[in-house]
Amino acid sequence: MSKPITNSRLLAVNILLKIDNGKYSNLELNQQFQNNNLKKVDQNLCTKLVYGVLQNKKSLDFWLRHFIDFKKVDLWVLELLRLSLYQLNFLDRIPKHAVFNESIKLAKLIGNQGIGNFVTAVLHNIDRKGLPDINEITDEITRLSVQYSVPKFLIKKLINQTNKDLTIAILKSINQDPARSIRLNNKCFSQAELKKLLEESHLKIIPSKVASLGARVVEGDPINSLAFQKGSYTFQDESAMLPVEALDVQENSEVLDACAAPGGKTTQIAQLLNGGHVTALDVYQHKINLIQKNAQRLKLTNWINAQLLDAKQASKHFAVESFDRILVDAPCSGWGLLRRKPEIRYNRSDQDGLKLQQQQLAILNSVADLLKVNGKLVYCTCTILKEENEDVVQEFLHKHPNFEIKRVVTNLKLKDSRKEPWLTIYPNEYLTDGFFISLLQRTK
């Protein structure tokens, strides 16, 4: 069994290497904090370092390429240098001598004296010569890509689909810390009970301006609180609460959540039910277990039936017109999640959206006949690209003339003056995840 890590910078390097091999930043951080003995202050520093490197990797690499040959450097050394440069350039509270000393010490600890000498030379060379100016990059798309550490194809698509000003506003917003947002469990707890539990857990919240059951935690530790353990709230981004608001669930509704894990929207639907039920589908058993675990903690199991099933096969397992409401929170490229999952900037291609379109349409086609006449279907994604959003809806409507699009209305009347019937939330607008929500109704 490996010895637990107590050094936040060493753990950050290890986590960055795991992310390089396909792990998700949020899951890996949680896993490593469970496995290692870091104090809370060191966990916070480690989180800041990991996200900081991921959010600024293109900028860091632009600077580093003037000092090293990437082909001749091991990946762990490159991650250590990125970490060092991030601290020097973005974290004012850490003195330069501390960055140098810690980085050189780690280079010797992980590698050897020779690598320690190499890291020493690189850092001193950077300190002596200074960093090249990103603003001197003449091509605007390339400059924006390096400055905000996003792929050029994403910038081009956003400019084409929106405009340059909105694109730059989105890019400026994605490296800000995400809010600690929760959804209150008003089904199982009265307002007075919620207030008491939050106070006992030393949590201070402010109401969401986006979702009616949402709140932002501004003080306290919501992860390890008594209020969380008792099921008085769950973690959910504010914009992710809007699809269920748009679905207009009635208390006796039979609802299908076609792509349900980890169960945030499933449990949100269950909070609205009395005589009805929500059937939650996922293709992986461990995710079904996660839905059930969340439902148990929130005391909502009576209204939830989680089933192991690929939504593309739903038409073979359920009778036609089985459901009053259907939610399709479709698998997508996730470009709305850049603030929470910065690593997706580096593992997506410009063709992903078109490939995902086929999967998204296959799910919609499979569940279409399961909806009752006059029933409502919400199709949503956590991406902000047209090919996975409006284009999918239009293609579905073209092939299903018995459906029509309806205007999305949320409880707090978000973006009520917009012209289009669907609702797109960009990451800069409310500092939430980016989301697309559309409402379709079956007419015959």
Side-chain angles (χ1 to χ4, degrees):
M1 187 174 178
S2 59
K3 187 178 179 181
I5 297 173
T6 57
N7 183 305
S8 54
R9 291 174 175 85
L10 175 57
L11 189 58
V13 171
N14 286 351
I15 290 171
L16 287 166
L17 289 170
K18 299 268 190 184
I19 294 167
D20 287 331
N21 286 320
K23 300 290 186 181
Y24 289 111
S25 56
N26 57 335
L27 300 180
E28 193 59 31
L29 280 160
N30 291 338
Q31 185 65 52
Q32 292 298 329
F33 290 161
Q34 288 176 24
N35 295 344
N36 294 282
N37 299 327
L38 260 69
K39 298 175 184 175
K40 187 65 179 177
V41 65
D42 293 322
Q43 288 185 10
N44 291 341
L45 176 59
C46 182
T47 301
K48 186 73 174 173
L49 294 175
V50 169
Y51 277 104
V53 169
L54 293 173
Q55 290 168 338
N56 298 281
K57 189 189 285 189
K58 282 184 177 288
S59 301
L60 298 170
D61 287 0
F62 170 77
W63 291 321
L64 279 173
R65 287 183 197 282
H66 288 75
F67 299 94
I68 62 172
D69 182 348
F70 278 35
K71 294 178 181 177
K72 295 181 179 179
V73 178
D74 287 344
L75 184 56
W76 74 264
V77 179
L78 179 57
E79 290 294 9
L80 177 59
L81 287 170
R82 286 170 175 156
L83 201 70
S84 307
L85 199 49
Y86 170 70
Q87 293 173 83
L88 290 170
N89 235 38
F90 294 95
L91 297 185
D92 298 334
R93 294 183 180 180
I94 301 180
K96 180 170 66 177
H97 68 84
V99 176
F100 276 47
N101 291 342
E102 289 294 325
S103 300
I104 293 163
K105 186 166 70 176
L106 282 182
K108 294 175 183 176
L109 176 68
I110 305 172
N112 52 46
Q113 182 65 46
I115 295 175
N117 293 341
F118 171 75
V119 168
T120 303
V122 172
L123 292 179
H124 282 287
N125 201 14
I126 289 171
D127 188 41
R128 188 171 61 254
K129 293 183 177 179
L131 297 173
D133 188 353
I134 291 173
N135 289 318
E136 292 181 0
I137 299 173
T138 53
D139 179 73
E140 184 177 28
I141 300 296
T142 303
R143 185 177 71 252
L144 291 171
S145 174
V146 171
Q147 184 176 356
Y148 296 108
S149 289
V150 294
K152 289 192 279 188
F153 74 80
L154 178 65
I155 297 171
K156 290 176 182 176
K157 284 186 176 185
L158 284 174
I159 290 174
N160 288 337
Q161 294 176 16
T162 59
N163 57 65
K164 189 190 293 186
D165 288 344
L166 176 55
T167 298
I168 292 174
I170 292 169
L171 297 178
K172 285 180 177 178
S173 77
I174 57 175
N175 286 350
Q176 298 179 31
D177 291 339
R180 297 186 297 169
S181 54
I182 60 174
R183 191 190 76 242
L184 298 170
N185 184 358
N186 67 336
K187 183 175 183 65
C188 303
F189 298 86
S190 68
Q191 194 168 354
E193 288 170 331
L194 288 170
K195 186 174 185 291
K196 185 171 182 286
L197 270 171
L198 292 169
E199 285 175 352
E200 288 174 351
S201 299
H202 308 291
L203 296 175
K204 183 179 178 182
I205 64 170
I206 55 174
S208 170
K209 296 179 180 178
V210 176
S212 59
L213 289 178
R216 292 187 178 190
V217 179
V218 292
E219 255 179 52
D221 178 8
I223 297 174
N224 300 304
S225 75
L226 175 68
F228 177 76
Q229 292 168 12
K230 285 184 172 290
S232 68
Y233 62 82
T234 191
F235 293 100
Q236 191 176 15
D237 188 80
E238 293 160 271
S239 59
M241 303 177 203
L242 300 178
V244 173
E245 290 189 5
L247 195 56
D248 184 32
V249 175
Q250 305 300 303
E251 65 175 18
N252 292 316
S253 296
E254 289 300 320
V255 185
L256 176 66
D257 187 353
C259 312
K265 297 179 186 66
T266 303
T267 53
Q268 186 181 355
I269 292 167
Q271 284 183 219
L272 300 169
L273 297 174
N274 187 13
H277 299 88
V278 52
T279 300
L281 308 183
D282 199 84
V283 292
Y284 298 107
Q285 184 60 51
H286 72 275
K287 291 190 175 182
I288 292 294
N289 296 343
L290 188 57
I291 294 170
Q292 292 170 333
K293 183 179 177 182
N294 286 332
Q296 287 167 2
R297 185 180 58 80
L298 292 164
K299 303 174 177 63
L300 297 170
T301 52
N302 288 348
W303 298 275
I304 295 172
N305 175 25
Q307 295 187 30
L308 183 67
L309 181 65
D310 186 339
K312 295 191 291 293
Q313 305 300 318
S315 60
K316 299 175 183 177
H317 290 263
F318 300 102
V320 295
E321 299 189 37
S322 294
F323 298 100
D324 304 285
R325 301 286 187 269
I326 295 178
L327 174 65
V328 176
D329 182 14
C332 70
S333 56
W335 287 116
L337 306 178
L338 286 171
R339 193 177 285 114
R340 295 184 190 277
K341 297 182 178 179
E343 66 274 9
I344 69 173
R345 310 163 194 229
Y346 314 112
N347 57 26
R348 298 284 189 269
S349 80
D350 61 347
Q351 296 301 308
D352 285 350
L354 295 174
K355 293 173 185 173
L356 283 160
Q357 248 188 25
Q358 303 310 310
Q359 190 175 354
Q360 292 154 352
L361 284 166
I363 294 170
L364 284 172
N365 291 336
S366 178
V367 303
D369 288 342
L370 306 183
L371 187 64
K372 296 177 182 178
V373 175
N374 296 319
K376 295 178 180 179
L377 182 156
V378 162
Y379 170 79
C380 63
T381 73
C382 54
T383 193
I384 50 177
L385 294 181
K386 185 172 176 282
E387 59 257 36
E388 298 177 67
N389 295 337
E390 298 99 303
D391 290 355
V392 169
V393 171
Q394 299 292 9
E395 178 66 17
F396 174 79
L397 290 172
H398 176 70
K399 292 184 177 178
H400 296 83
N402 60 329
F403 279 78
E404 62 182 33
I405 193 158
K406 296 292 185 179
R407 183 176 179 80
V408 168
V409 179
T410 67
N411 294 349
L412 300 182
K413 304 289 191 292
L414 244 60
K415 298 178 76 168
D416 211 31
S417 61
R418 71 187 190 278
K419 294 179 181 178
E420 61 276 4
W422 48 76
L423 175 63
T424 303
I425 304 294
Y426 292 106
N428 63 300
E429 291 177 312
Y430 305 99
L431 298 183
T432 65
D433 291 344
F435 240 88
F436 170 84
I437 304 147
S438 60
L439 176 64
L440 307 170
Q441 186 164 24
R442 183 172 178 179
T443 56
K444 57 184 178 182

PDB file of all heavy atoms in Angstrom, residues 268-282:
ATOM      1  N   GLN A 268     -35.038  15.875  -8.290  1.00  0.00           N
ATOM      2  CA  GLN A 268     -35.793  17.129  -8.402  1.00  0.00           C
ATOM      3  C   GLN A 268     -37.220  16.861  -8.877  1.00  0.00           C
ATOM      4  O   GLN A 268     -38.181  17.451  -8.368  1.00  0.00           O
ATOM      5  CB  GLN A 268     -35.080  18.080  -9.372  1.00  0.00           C
ATOM      6  CG  GLN A 268     -35.710  19.471  -9.445  1.00  0.00           C
ATOM      7  CD  GLN A 268     -34.997  20.379 -10.424  1.00  0.00           C
ATOM      8  OE1 GLN A 268     -33.966  20.016 -11.005  1.00  0.00           O
ATOM      9  NE2 GLN A 268     -35.536  21.565 -10.640  1.00  0.00           N
ATOM     10  N   ILE A 269     -37.360  15.950  -9.841  1.00  0.00           N
ATOM     11  CA  ILE A 269     -38.697  15.547 -10.306  1.00  0.00           C
ATOM     12  C   ILE A 269     -39.476  14.910  -9.156  1.00  0.00           C
ATOM     13  O   ILE A 269     -40.654  15.214  -8.936  1.00  0.00           O
ATOM     14  CB  ILE A 269     -38.576  14.571 -11.502  1.00  0.00           C
ATOM     15  CG1 ILE A 269     -38.028  15.288 -12.737  1.00  0.00           C
ATOM     16  CG2 ILE A 269     -39.928  13.926 -11.818  1.00  0.00           C
ATOM     17  CD1 ILE A 269     -37.587  14.354 -13.857  1.00  0.00           C
ATOM     18  N   ALA A 270     -38.808  14.021  -8.403  1.00  0.00           N
ATOM     19  CA  ALA A 270     -39.472  13.323  -7.296  1.00  0.00           C
ATOM     20  C   ALA A 270     -40.005  14.297  -6.251  1.00  0.00           C
ATOM     21  O   ALA A 270     -41.040  14.038  -5.627  1.00  0.00           O
ATOM     22  CB  ALA A 270     -38.501  12.332  -6.654  1.00  0.00           C
ATOM     23  N   GLN A 271     -39.325  15.425  -6.067  1.00  0.00           N
ATOM     24  CA  GLN A 271     -39.787  16.426  -5.102  1.00  0.00           C
ATOM     25  C   GLN A 271     -41.133  17.034  -5.510  1.00  0.00           C
ATOM     26  O   GLN A 271     -41.850  17.574  -4.678  1.00  0.00           O
ATOM     27  CB  GLN A 271     -38.752  17.544  -4.952  1.00  0.00           C
ATOM     28  CG  GLN A 271     -37.544  17.148  -4.115  1.00  0.00           C
ATOM     29  CD  GLN A 271     -36.549  18.279  -3.911  1.00  0.00           C
ATOM     30  OE1 GLN A 271     -35.351  18.060  -3.935  1.00  0.00           O
ATOM     31  NE2 GLN A 271     -37.023  19.498  -3.713  1.00  0.00           N
ATOM     32  N   LEU A 272     -41.467  16.922  -6.809  1.00  0.00           N
ATOM     33  CA  LEU A 272     -42.708  17.509  -7.312  1.00  0.00           C
ATOM     34  C   LEU A 272     -43.860  16.510  -7.334  1.00  0.00           C
ATOM     35  O   LEU A 272     -44.989  16.876  -7.627  1.00  0.00           O
ATOM     36  CB  LEU A 272     -42.481  18.055  -8.732  1.00  0.00           C
ATOM     37  CG  LEU A 272     -41.401  19.141  -8.871  1.00  0.00           C
ATOM     38  CD1 LEU A 272     -41.102  19.388 -10.345  1.00  0.00           C
ATOM     39  CD2 LEU A 272     -41.836  20.422  -8.189  1.00  0.00           C
ATOM     40  N   LEU A 273     -43.560  15.248  -7.040  1.00  0.00           N
ATOM     41  CA  LEU A 273     -44.564  14.189  -7.197  1.00  0.00           C
ATOM     42  C   LEU A 273     -45.285  13.884  -5.896  1.00  0.00           C
ATOM     43  O   LEU A 273     -44.764  14.090  -4.800  1.00  0.00           O
ATOM     44  CB  LEU A 273     -43.890  12.918  -7.714  1.00  0.00           C
ATOM     45  CG  LEU A 273     -43.250  13.007  -9.106  1.00  0.00           C
ATOM     46  CD1 LEU A 273     -42.503  11.726  -9.429  1.00  0.00           C
ATOM     47  CD2 LEU A 273     -44.305  13.306 -10.174  1.00  0.00           C
ATOM     48  N   ASN A 274     -46.497  13.337  -6.056  1.00  0.00           N
ATOM     49  CA  ASN A 274     -47.255  12.816  -4.921  1.00  0.00           C
ATOM     50  C   ASN A 274     -47.733  11.410  -5.277  1.00  0.00           C
ATOM     51  O   ASN A 274     -47.229  10.418  -4.779  1.00  0.00           O
ATOM     52  CB  ASN A 274     -48.424  13.742  -4.581  1.00  0.00           C
ATOM     53  CG  ASN A 274     -49.126  13.311  -3.305  1.00  0.00           C
ATOM     54  OD1 ASN A 274     -48.624  12.487  -2.563  1.00  0.00           O
ATOM     55  ND2 ASN A 274     -50.304  13.853  -3.061  1.00  0.00           N
ATOM     56  N   GLY A 275     -48.669  11.324  -6.226  1.00  0.00           N
ATOM     57  CA  GLY A 275     -49.143  10.014  -6.655  1.00  0.00           C
ATOM     58  C   GLY A 275     -48.340   9.430  -7.795  1.00  0.00           C
ATOM     59  O   GLY A 275     -48.457   8.241  -8.093  1.00  0.00           O
ATOM     60  N   GLY A 276     -47.531  10.241  -8.464  1.00  0.00           N
ATOM     61  CA  GLY A 276     -46.788   9.763  -9.630  1.00  0.00           C
ATOM     62  C   GLY A 276     -45.441   9.148  -9.282  1.00  0.00           C
ATOM     63  O   GLY A 276     -45.076   9.009  -8.113  1.00  0.00           O
ATOM     64  N   HIS A 277     -44.704   8.769 -10.328  1.00  0.00           N
ATOM     65  CA  HIS A 277     -43.375   8.173 -10.178  1.00  0.00           C
ATOM     66  C   HIS A 277     -42.460   8.679 -11.279  1.00  0.00           C
ATOM     67  O   HIS A 277     -42.926   9.091 -12.335  1.00  0.00           O
ATOM     68  CB  HIS A 277     -43.442   6.640 -10.255  1.00  0.00           C
ATOM     69  CG  HIS A 277     -44.272   6.017  -9.192  1.00  0.00           C
ATOM     70  ND1 HIS A 277     -45.641   5.829  -9.337  1.00  0.00           N
ATOM     71  CD2 HIS A 277     -43.946   5.551  -7.946  1.00  0.00           C
ATOM     72  CE1 HIS A 277     -46.121   5.274  -8.236  1.00  0.00           C
ATOM     73  NE2 HIS A 277     -45.116   5.093  -7.383  1.00  0.00           N
ATOM     74  N   VAL A 278     -41.174   8.607 -11.035  1.00  0.00           N
ATOM     75  CA  VAL A 278     -40.190   8.897 -12.071  1.00  0.00           C
ATOM     76  C   VAL A 278     -39.349   7.646 -12.296  1.00  0.00           C
ATOM     77  O   VAL A 278     -38.815   7.060 -11.351  1.00  0.00           O
ATOM     78  CB  VAL A 278     -39.311  10.120 -11.721  1.00  0.00           C
ATOM     79  CG1 VAL A 278     -38.672  10.006 -10.345  1.00  0.00           C
ATOM     80  CG2 VAL A 278     -38.233  10.329 -12.791  1.00  0.00           C
ATOM     81  N   THR A 279     -39.297   7.215 -13.551  1.00  0.00           N
ATOM     82  CA  THR A 279     -38.474   6.081 -13.952  1.00  0.00           C
ATOM     83  C   THR A 279     -37.159   6.630 -14.477  1.00  0.00           C
ATOM     84  O   THR A 279     -37.144   7.403 -15.443  1.00  0.00           O
ATOM     85  CB  THR A 279     -39.169   5.246 -15.037  1.00  0.00           C
ATOM     86  OG1 THR A 279     -40.421   4.764 -14.516  1.00  0.00           O
ATOM     87  CG2 THR A 279     -38.313   4.070 -15.456  1.00  0.00           C
ATOM     88  N   ALA A 280     -36.064   6.260 -13.831  1.00  0.00           N
ATOM     89  CA  ALA A 280     -34.746   6.816 -14.146  1.00  0.00           C
ATOM     90  C   ALA A 280     -33.879   5.750 -14.805  1.00  0.00           C
ATOM     91  O   ALA A 280     -33.668   4.672 -14.238  1.00  0.00           O
ATOM     92  CB  ALA A 280     -34.079   7.327 -12.873  1.00  0.00           C
ATOM     93  N   LEU A 281     -33.368   6.050 -16.000  1.00  0.00           N
ATOM     94  CA  LEU A 281     -32.570   5.092 -16.761  1.00  0.00           C
ATOM     95  C   LEU A 281     -31.098   5.499 -16.797  1.00  0.00           C
ATOM     96  O   LEU A 281     -30.771   6.676 -16.877  1.00  0.00           O
ATOM     97  CB  LEU A 281     -33.074   5.000 -18.207  1.00  0.00           C
ATOM     98  CG  LEU A 281     -34.564   4.748 -18.436  1.00  0.00           C
ATOM     99  CD1 LEU A 281     -34.842   4.625 -19.927  1.00  0.00           C
ATOM    100  CD2 LEU A 281     -35.032   3.504 -17.682  1.00  0.00           C
ATOM    101  N   ASP A 282     -30.237   4.502 -16.769  1.00  0.00           N
ATOM    102  CA  ASP A 282     -28.822   4.713 -17.074  1.00  0.00           C
ATOM    103  C   ASP A 282     -28.236   3.399 -17.566  1.00  0.00           C
ATOM    104  O   ASP A 282     -28.772   2.325 -17.286  1.00  0.00           O
ATOM    105  CB  ASP A 282     -28.044   5.228 -15.867  1.00  0.00           C
ATOM    106  CG  ASP A 282     -26.728   5.884 -16.311  1.00  0.00           C
ATOM    107  OD1 ASP A 282     -26.761   7.074 -16.666  1.00  0.00           O
ATOM    108  OD2 ASP A 282     -25.688   5.197 -16.333  1.00  0.00           O
TER     109      ASP A 282
END
